Amino acid sequence: EAIFQTGLFSFLSLFTFLFFGIYFSLSIGYYDNTSTISRFLSSINQLIMKSFQCVPILLWMLITIIVIGYTENISPLWKTSIYFLFFGLFSSPALSNLIIEKINQMKNEDFIVALKLLGLSDRRIIISHMLRHYCLPIIIFQMAYVMAHAFFLDLTLCYIEKSSSDSATLGWYVYQSYTVGNYGTDTNYLLIISFMLTLVLFYWANYYKQKI
């Protein structure tokens, strides 16, 4: 149950990571010169990405934890969810930069120009060709990294006492076993399984990284 709860929170980070990572990359890399509005949005998104990149993710998370932590009308479970959502957002430039670089290499190539001349929509070119065939290894290895880091975020939140029994995550149980002194076989199982899951995620990330 603890690992399942941690997995759910990690998927929150993964959702915002993928959504904003792909959104920023398409806005800046593909739609940057299509119209005045797209150029404006591209400039705004570049500014947002630079603001995320010029400050370490750890500092962004500390600011988020301080601001959300002192909000009294939000339940502890929702606070934890918000922490993971913002973690995915702050991590998204890592994915965006790689996809932007790939899009810049592809968008002027002959086959992309040919697809446009054949009448294919931008949406189909992006989803069926660029993202699916050329950017998928990038997306998968970045997904694995952010999931692994989300597991560590769960442990960090519990050790700085920003988690609660309502979340019942892996980190919360491990933290309780040390602070309350109820360290036993169950905690060993949790640590071993969490270490194996994290190791698998990093191996998965490195495997797809080599395919880029």
Side-chain angles (χ1 to χ4, degrees):
E1 180 185 358
I3 295 172
F4 176 75
Q5 291 296 329
T6 300
L8 288 179
F9 284 120
S10 299
F11 275 108
L12 291 178
S13 296
L14 184 62
F15 171 76
T16 52
F17 176 77
L18 289 175
F19 178 83
F20 286 102
I22 294 175
Y23 165 72
F24 288 145
S25 61
L26 295 180
S27 173
I28 297 170
Y30 191 86
Y31 291 106
D32 54 335
N33 291 316
T34 55
S35 65
T36 304
I37 296 177
S38 65
R39 284 194 293 270
F40 174 75
L41 289 175
S42 177
S43 299
I44 296 297
N45 291 328
Q46 287 183 35
L47 181 62
I48 294 173
M49 280 186 55
K50 287 180 180 178
S51 66
F52 288 163
Q53 291 177 295
C54 68
V55 178
I57 295 177
L58 178 60
L59 183 55
W60 278 119
M61 288 306 303
L62 288 175
I63 294 172
T64 304
I65 289 169
I66 291 171
V67 173
I68 302 299
Y70 284 103
T71 305
E72 297 180 355
N73 56 348
I74 302 178
S75 67
L77 187 61
W78 274 104
K79 288 181 179 179
T80 305
S81 301
I82 292 172
Y83 298 149
F84 279 89
L85 286 170
F86 272 96
F87 176 72
L89 171 62
F90 298 140
S91 303
S92 61
L95 175 62
S96 298
N97 288 327
L98 293 174
I99 297 181
I100 289 171
E101 182 180 352
K102 201 72 173 179
I103 289 176
N104 288 334
Q105 294 174 0
M106 292 187 296
K107 66 180 181 181
N108 293 322
E109 290 188 4
D110 294 339
F111 81 97
I112 296 294
V113 176
L115 291 174
K116 290 182 178 180
L117 292 175
L118 288 172
L120 269 70
S121 63
D122 288 335
R123 180 179 63 83
R124 188 172 177 183
I125 292 173
I126 291 168
I127 296 174
S128 301
H129 295 275
M130 288 185 168
L131 295 181
R132 181 180 177 182
H133 292 291
Y134 294 94
C135 297
L136 190 59
I138 295 173
I139 295 172
I140 292 178
F141 102 77
Q142 286 289 329
M143 284 171 57
Y145 271 132
V146 80
M147 286 288 288
H149 292 155
F151 269 72
F152 287 112
L153 175 63
D154 174 41
L155 294 171
T156 304
L157 289 175
C158 293
Y159 275 93
I160 62 176
E161 299 182 354
K162 291 299 178 181
S163 187
S164 68
S165 58
D166 295 336
S167 60
T169 60
L170 169 67
W172 187 82
Y173 278 113
V174 173
Y175 175 73
Q176 290 296 311
S177 68
Y178 281 104
T179 56
V180 180
N182 190 23
Y183 185 85
T185 306
D186 291 341
T187 306
N188 287 329
Y189 286 145
L190 286 176
L191 290 173
I192 292 171
I193 293 173
S194 61
F195 175 77
M196 291 175 62
L197 287 172
T198 306
L199 190 63
V200 168
L201 288 170
F202 277 120
Y203 174 80
W204 188 21
N206 288 326
Y207 174 77
Y208 278 94
K209 186 177 182 180
Q210 295 174 1
K211 292 181 174 290
I212 298 176

